[in-house]
Amino acid sequence: MGSSFFFIIVTILLIVVLCVFKFKARNSQSSTTPWSEQEPQLDVTQQIVASSAQRLVEIINESLNIANDSKNADTKASRLDLAKEKLDELKALAKENSWIKIDRLSDVEESISVLERECEEVNYRVEANKNFDDDDDLATFNILYGYDDKEKSYNKAPGEWIKPGETITIKGQKFTGGNFYFGGKLSSFDGYGTEASLVDDSLTVENMPSSYEDESLGYWPKFISLTPKGRGAFLNWLSGNRSDPDTPLGYVFIYFYGLERRITVDSIKQAVDDTEFKSLFDEILRLKGIYGNSRSFSNYSTRLLEIMCLLRPHVVSHLELEKTPQRDSMLFRHRLATTVNEGKPVSAELALAWIRFYPDYNLKKPARRCGYEFSQMFIRLYSKKYGDGLIVKPNKTRLKVEYHPASSSLRGISFPQQDLPDPSKLKGPVNKLIVIADECITELDAYSRYLAKPNTSRTDIEAILLLPDDLSDAGTTLGLGEFKKWADDAISTKNGLVSVEEFWTYTKSPLPAKINKKEAELIQNLAQKAGYGIAPDTRYHHAKTSADGKLVLFPEGHGKYFEPSKAFSEMGMALRLGAMVATIDSHVDQAELHLLTQLIDHDTNLSPTEKRSLHAYLVWRLNTPSNVTGLKARVELLGKTEKAAISRILVGVAMADGKIDPDEIKQLEKLYTLLGLDKALVTGDIHGMSSSKAGVRPASTQSESITPASSSFQLDESILAIHESETKDVQSMLGAIFVEDEPFSDSDDSATDSTVVEEETGIDKPHYALYESLIRKDKWTREEVEALCCDSGLMVSGALETINDWSFDKVDAAVLEEDGDAIYVDQEIVEEIEG
């Protein structure tokens, strides 16, 4: 039995037994003298041998002492090797000299084995507070004469295996559960001592509850070594259902030792049929489920289960053991060796097990905290890169099937070997796996950090949005299923049109008063993670919604690497202008909608993704009030031909329903003014377009209501052709964006100083002046900003929000940040704005 970072190096007892005792006289007194007090006489040769034995033990003691205390991996390994070498010499010496007996040899070998395994498992990092500083706790050499004071058994009945269902009575107690050895004579596998699990009813027993324990329940407990009270406690546990999790673990191990022997010794001799073998497997799984919180018991029971899978794979198997192998997993090494030997590719699942097994690579925290997500992502990336898997060339190192038993009675046990390679520690293939594992860990880092916070869950929207794109379908399982169902229904029944309020319920957080950058990104990311696109998307549509506004969902979304083309930007501008005209009368006619839809569908420069996005954007524009404060200063650089072409789109949309209302004429006049055209040209353009396709603009006077000559309006080819215009100024203008700050004014006078500043900067004069004042330093107190706002007649909160909205429109980031009573200016954003 072992535990992490802990071992006991027991005392080696050399009992020198002389075959011939030399006494000065043979009389009755000598026969009554206790044997332990009789002093054997050693001849010269025997004294030399004894001295050699003593020196070997001293070397073993010293080597184990250094190996225990050293923090250097090479020192530990070399000293352990020396200890094993000298122990072999000591055993050989004892074998050659029958008068030397090594007592508790198996305990010493277990000490070495435990230390070796623990060093491997923790990469030689041993906790300082677990080491022994007192030399008295380490192995020392003793030559004793006689025997120890343990209770001796005089039971000559051979030990036999009691199967479940067999009834047996021990000290008046009935036992029906079986699965233990019973009798008086059953030696350890190596011939030294009695089988640790053997239940001997000739020994003294005192009835005690199974919770009792004393000093006899040592590190490697044996039934024969327990005190009478300890035996009583063990038998009480054995007679019950063997399921009390509070039972001292030593009693569980004594029971486990019997199961271990039955499997590793008796089943090899074909003394166990498949039915019993499967029953033993299930019993160990049951014990592991109850007592597996002990790392020691978990490790030993896992090793035994693995050996059982190797011994009779046609009878027992355990998928979990194959998927998550321990660092010393024999089952994994055999499975990998078989795969490589047969020339088969290493599957994704086996590759994942390999990266978990490999002793020189430790998975970082994201892989440990997010084990399921790491596994799924690793398998997908591995399969994407290597298809069916890597082909590994068999190496020369051969696989050795080894088993480190928990029981001290099973030292030296071995199994039949197969001629297989052992590729488990090859560096070449593993280095390729490490690249994939590290990529997974990097991608999962943000997700892992979120889950490390208190009161967080994998089903939180924030967590789902942090999942790597390769695990997007996992989001559906974790909490996006209902959202997807709702989104699909909206797309099929409402053309994707939904309210922001309804969408926001799926974020599981309160609806904010305003949709700022953070909120807009959450909307976009949630839609994208679920496999949808959203309009307006601030990254591509240069517009944003409001908390009481609308959104439009469309399938597939923009994709991770979407980059809008110039044609996309041009069409977005045309749709925006057209929507302004189409919604003047608060009603969008089907003809108007058809015309705007044609603009998208007939443009061969648009990709399918761009068309889906623009259709959604059009739906949003037609269902959202729009306003425009002005065009960029570059509009003034356009020539008459280009301005006339733009005006044709606006007039064409207005006439699409076969009539022109006074409100539409008024809106056209405003837009003409914004384009730098004479608003008096509106009526003439309407008459000209309705009467001829030649595009001749006759002189006309403004009319409050005009009915076109034809009730069926056909879109002029020149209107569609504008998108293919090679005129640089037209393309630049269409690529420009409107700035949505304040509602459009009804005033026809657009020549004020404020408007001039606004057209140049995109923000009104008072707010721009405040912005210029604030960027003089990095940090302001709220009182200081209030004073600046007071001078300009502005309210602090509204002013800061207006400046940030303007900054967001220009460079897609806020320039000001409020933190308590402090207001910070992001100078990097300032540089972007100024640049």
Side-chain angles (χ1 to χ4, degrees):
M1 183 176 79
S3 64
S4 302
F5 311 115
F6 181 81
F7 62 92
I8 296 176
I9 302 177
V10 300
T11 301
I12 298 178
L13 301 178
L14 294 188
I15 302 178
V16 180
V17 182
L18 290 180
C19 295
V20 179
F21 288 93
K22 296 181 180 179
F23 297 101
K24 292 182 180 180
R26 292 190 175 192
N27 52 34
S28 59
Q29 182 179 358
S30 64
S31 64
T32 59
T33 304
W35 182 45
S36 60
E37 294 178 4
Q38 295 174 347
E39 183 176 349
Q41 303 297 313
L42 303 178
D43 60 29
V44 175
T45 301
Q46 290 172 330
Q47 289 177 12
I48 294 174
V49 173
S51 177
S52 297
Q54 181 172 350
R55 178 55 185 156
L56 287 173
V57 174
E58 289 173 352
I59 295 173
I60 295 170
N61 293 342
E62 181 182 12
S63 297
L64 292 178
N65 189 9
I66 295 173
N68 179 46
D69 293 337
S70 177
K71 304 299 181 184
N72 182 278
D74 292 336
T75 300
K76 271 187 181 293
S78 63
R79 287 296 178 171
L80 281 172
D81 288 342
L82 180 60
K84 290 191 293 182
E85 178 185 340
K86 297 305 176 184
L87 187 56
D88 288 340
E89 292 181 18
L90 182 61
K91 290 161 65 177
L93 191 63
K95 185 175 181 180
E96 294 171 0
N97 298 273
S98 58
W99 51 272
I100 295 179
K101 179 182 177 183
I102 307 175
D103 191 31
R104 302 179 70 185
L105 171 63
S106 58
D107 291 345
V108 177
E109 290 178 321
E110 173 64 12
S111 296
I112 295 174
S113 297
V114 170
L115 183 57
E116 279 187 306
R117 293 197 299 274
E118 296 294 345
C119 287
E120 287 180 6
E121 290 174 2
V122 300
N123 293 326
Y124 301 101
R125 295 192 297 271
V126 183
E127 295 179 10
N129 63 344
K130 298 295 185 181
N131 286 335
F132 292 101
D133 297 324
D134 189 348
D135 291 340
D136 291 338
D137 291 319
L138 299 177
T140 58
F141 182 86
N142 293 279
I143 297 179
L144 301 178
Y145 305 91
Y147 56 90
D148 58 26
D149 57 358
K150 290 187 299 185
E151 182 178 354
K152 297 299 180 182
S153 172
Y154 299 98
N155 188 347
K156 302 301 181 182
E160 60 179 7
W161 179 253
I162 305 301
K163 294 183 179 181
E166 292 186 46
T167 300
I168 188 171
T169 302
I170 304 174
K171 302 297 184 182
Q173 272 185 298
K174 283 189 177 182
F175 295 79
T176 59
N179 283 339
F180 63 90
Y181 289 98
F182 177 72
K185 292 179 65 94
L186 186 62
S187 297
S188 296
F189 183 78
D190 58 5
Y192 291 98
T194 302
E195 160 62 38
S197 67
L198 181 64
V199 176
D200 186 345
D201 64 344
S202 72
L203 300 175
T204 307
V205 174
E206 293 184 30
N207 187 28
M208 295 295 290
S210 61
S211 59
Y212 173 83
E213 63 178 317
D214 55 29
E215 69 280 355
S216 68
L217 197 62
Y219 199 67
W220 285 281
K222 298 181 179 181
F223 182 83
I224 195 173
S225 301
L226 297 177
T227 61
K229 291 182 179 180
R231 294 186 196 117
F234 171 72
L235 290 176
N236 263 329
W237 179 81
L238 195 65
S239 66
N241 58 18
R242 306 168 188 177
S243 299
D244 184 356
D246 296 325
T247 299
L249 201 59
Y251 299 138
V252 182
F253 264 106
I254 293 176
Y255 174 62
F256 180 82
Y257 295 160
L259 301 174
E260 189 176 40
R261 181 179 182 124
R262 183 66 172 168
I263 293 162
T264 60
V265 178
D266 296 350
S267 76
I268 299 296
K269 300 175 181 177
Q270 303 303 314
V272 179
D273 61 31
D274 287 349
T275 301
E276 183 186 354
F277 196 87
K278 178 63 168 62
S279 175
L280 292 170
F281 188 85
D282 293 340
E283 175 65 359
I284 296 166
L285 277 177
R286 186 188 72 84
L287 292 172
K288 187 172 183 284
I290 300 171
Y291 303 102
N293 286 335
S294 161
R295 181 180 175 187
S296 174
F297 189 83
S298 177
N299 287 342
Y300 281 114
S301 58
T302 297
R303 292 189 188 111
L304 185 54
L305 290 168
E306 289 192 340
I307 283 294
M308 293 183 77
C309 292
L310 290 177
L311 290 175
R312 300 192 188 180
H314 61 287
V315 177
V316 295
S317 63
H318 197 281
L319 186 61
E320 192 61 31
L321 293 178
E322 297 180 3
K323 286 185 174 181
T324 55
Q326 297 185 145
R327 286 289 168 90
D328 60 351
S329 172
M330 200 67 248
L331 181 62
F332 162 76
R333 291 172 62 195
H334 185 272
R335 183 184 172 202
L336 179 65
T338 302
T339 299
V340 171
N341 190 60
E342 294 175 354
K344 295 180 179 179
V346 177
S347 67
E349 291 76 11
L350 188 56
L352 175 63
W354 199 349
I355 203 70
R356 293 185 187 280
F357 166 89
Y358 195 64
D360 294 333
Y361 179 75
N362 292 314
L363 291 174
K364 296 178 183 177
K365 190 167 290 184
R368 300 195 304 272
R369 180 182 292 134
C370 315
Y372 172 78
E373 293 83 356
F374 172 80
S375 299
Q376 292 298 306
M377 190 170 181
F378 181 93
I379 289 172
R380 295 179 189 192
L381 294 185
Y382 178 85
S383 300
K384 186 184 298 183
K385 189 169 185 177
Y386 296 110
D388 291 335
L390 284 169
I391 299 292
V392 178
K393 184 178 179 181
N395 56 330
K396 293 182 180 180
T397 304
R398 310 320 285 170
L399 179 69
K400 184 179 180 181
V401 177
E402 297 176 309
Y403 178 69
H404 302 288
S407 172
S408 61
S409 298
L410 295 176
R411 298 293 151 240
I413 196 167
S414 61
F415 297 96
Q417 302 294 315
Q418 294 177 271
D419 185 21
L420 293 172
D422 185 5
S424 62
K425 294 184 181 180
L426 288 177
K427 291 184 178 180
V430 173
N431 286 337
K432 296 177 181 179
L433 305 183
I434 289 174
V435 172
I436 298 175
D438 286 345
E439 181 181 349
C440 295
I441 288 168
T442 300
E443 289 291 315
L444 287 168
D445 184 63
Y447 177 73
S448 171
R449 289 177 183 274
Y450 176 84
L451 293 181
K453 298 177 182 178
N455 303 317
T456 56
S457 167
R458 282 174 164 78
T459 59
D460 294 347
I461 289 298
E462 291 87 344
I464 295 172
L465 296 182
L466 291 172
L467 278 171
D469 291 339
D470 289 295
L471 295 177
S472 56
D473 59 330
T476 302
T477 304
L478 293 171
L480 288 184
E482 286 299 315
F483 175 83
K484 288 172 69 70
K485 182 179 178 181
W486 168 78
D488 289 340
D489 180 69
I491 291 171
S492 63
T493 61
K494 297 185 289 185
N495 210 14
L497 185 67
V498 298
S499 69
V500 172
E501 182 178 7
E502 190 176 7
F503 183 101
W504 198 264
T505 60
Y506 290 92
T507 69
K508 301 177 182 179
S509 58
L511 180 68
K514 187 175 177 65
I515 304 298
N516 291 315
K517 181 182 179 182
K518 180 180 179 181
E519 291 77 17
E521 287 181 344
L522 178 57
I523 291 172
Q524 291 158 194
N525 292 337
L526 175 53
Q528 180 176 315
K529 186 65 68 176
Y532 302 93
I534 203 83
D537 190 314
T538 56
R539 298 168 296 181
Y540 314 125
H541 299 134
H542 305 292
K544 58 183 179 180
T545 188
S546 58
D548 58 353
K550 301 288 186 181
L551 292 168
V552 179
L553 291 157
F554 64 94
E556 299 182 43
H558 293 96
K560 185 176 181 179
Y561 304 105
F562 178 75
E563 288 290 341
S565 65
K566 180 178 289 187
F568 179 89
S569 300
E570 292 172 356
M571 182 60 70
M573 175 59 67
L575 294 176
R576 182 174 183 180
L577 288 168
M580 290 178 192
V581 176
T583 57
I584 290 300
D585 55 1
S586 301
H587 170 73
V588 180
D589 189 85
Q590 285 300 312
E592 293 172 329
L593 177 61
H594 179 68
L595 187 149
L596 291 170
T597 301
Q598 276 188 311
L599 285 176
I600 301 172
D601 293 338
H602 289 185
D603 195 327
T604 58
N605 294 317
L606 295 173
S607 69
T609 298
E610 288 178 320
K611 288 184 178 182
R612 285 195 300 270
S613 176
L614 288 169
H615 276 298
Y617 175 65
L618 174 60
V619 172
W620 179 74
R621 278 293 179 191
L622 294 175
N623 288 275
T624 302
S626 359
N627 55 76
V628 179
T629 58
L631 288 169
K632 292 289 185 181
R634 278 179 293 169
V635 171
E636 298 179 358
L637 301 177
L638 296 176
K640 291 182 179 180
T641 302
E642 290 77 22
K643 292 179 181 179
I646 297 169
S647 69
R648 286 175 178 272
I649 293 179
L650 303 180
V651 174
V653 173
M655 297 177 63
D657 59 355
K659 64 180 186 301
I660 294 290
D661 293 330
D663 287 341
E664 290 178 312
I665 294 176
K666 186 176 181 181
Q667 178 71 347
L668 286 172
E669 289 175 344
K670 292 176 183 177
L671 294 176
Y672 268 49
T673 301
L674 292 173
L675 289 171
L677 299 174
D678 186 351
K679 65 181 181 180
L681 298 175
V682 171
T683 53
D685 286 348
I686 293 172
H687 282 297
M689 188 170 291
S690 63
S691 61
S692 173
K693 290 185 179 181
V696 178
R697 175 180 285 141
S700 64
T701 58
Q702 184 173 334
S703 171
E704 291 301 316
S705 180
I706 296 178
T707 302
S710 172
S711 61
S712 176
F713 172 74
Q714 298 294 322
L715 184 64
D716 196 295
E717 292 296 326
S718 63
I719 297 176
L720 292 173
I722 191 172
H723 301 296
E724 299 175 1
S725 171
E726 295 179 358
T727 304
K728 183 177 179 181
D729 289 338
V730 174
Q731 293 177 341
S732 299
M733 192 289 304
L734 289 174
I737 63 169
F738 287 105
V739 181
E740 295 186 44
D741 285 332
E742 300 294 332
F744 183 74
S745 171
D746 287 338
S747 172
D748 291 338
D749 184 8
S750 60
T752 62
D753 291 341
S754 177
T755 303
V756 172
V757 172
E758 196 167 350
E759 288 184 354
E760 292 178 351
T761 64
I763 191 172
D764 60 73
K765 187 175 181 179
H767 286 94
Y768 187 74
L770 176 61
Y771 161 76
E772 289 191 315
S773 298
L774 291 174
I775 63 176
R776 291 188 306 230
K777 62 180 186 178
D778 296 341
K779 181 181 178 181
W780 297 80
T781 65
R782 192 169 186 85
E783 291 181 356
E784 291 174 328
V785 177
E786 285 177 349
L788 291 174
C789 289
C790 184
D791 293 340
S792 303
L794 300 172
M795 299 294 291
V796 175
S797 297
L800 298 182
E801 186 175 294
T802 298
I803 293 173
N804 274 337
D805 285 348
W806 166 71
S807 170
F808 184 81
D809 286 337
K810 289 182 73 69
V811 297
D812 201 28
V815 69
L816 305 176
E817 181 180 349
E818 294 185 71
D819 186 7
D821 291 331
I823 296 170
Y824 295 90
V825 179
D826 191 330
Q827 295 296 341
E828 291 185 3
I829 301 301
V830 172
E831 290 180 10
E832 289 189 43
I833 293 173
E834 298 299 319

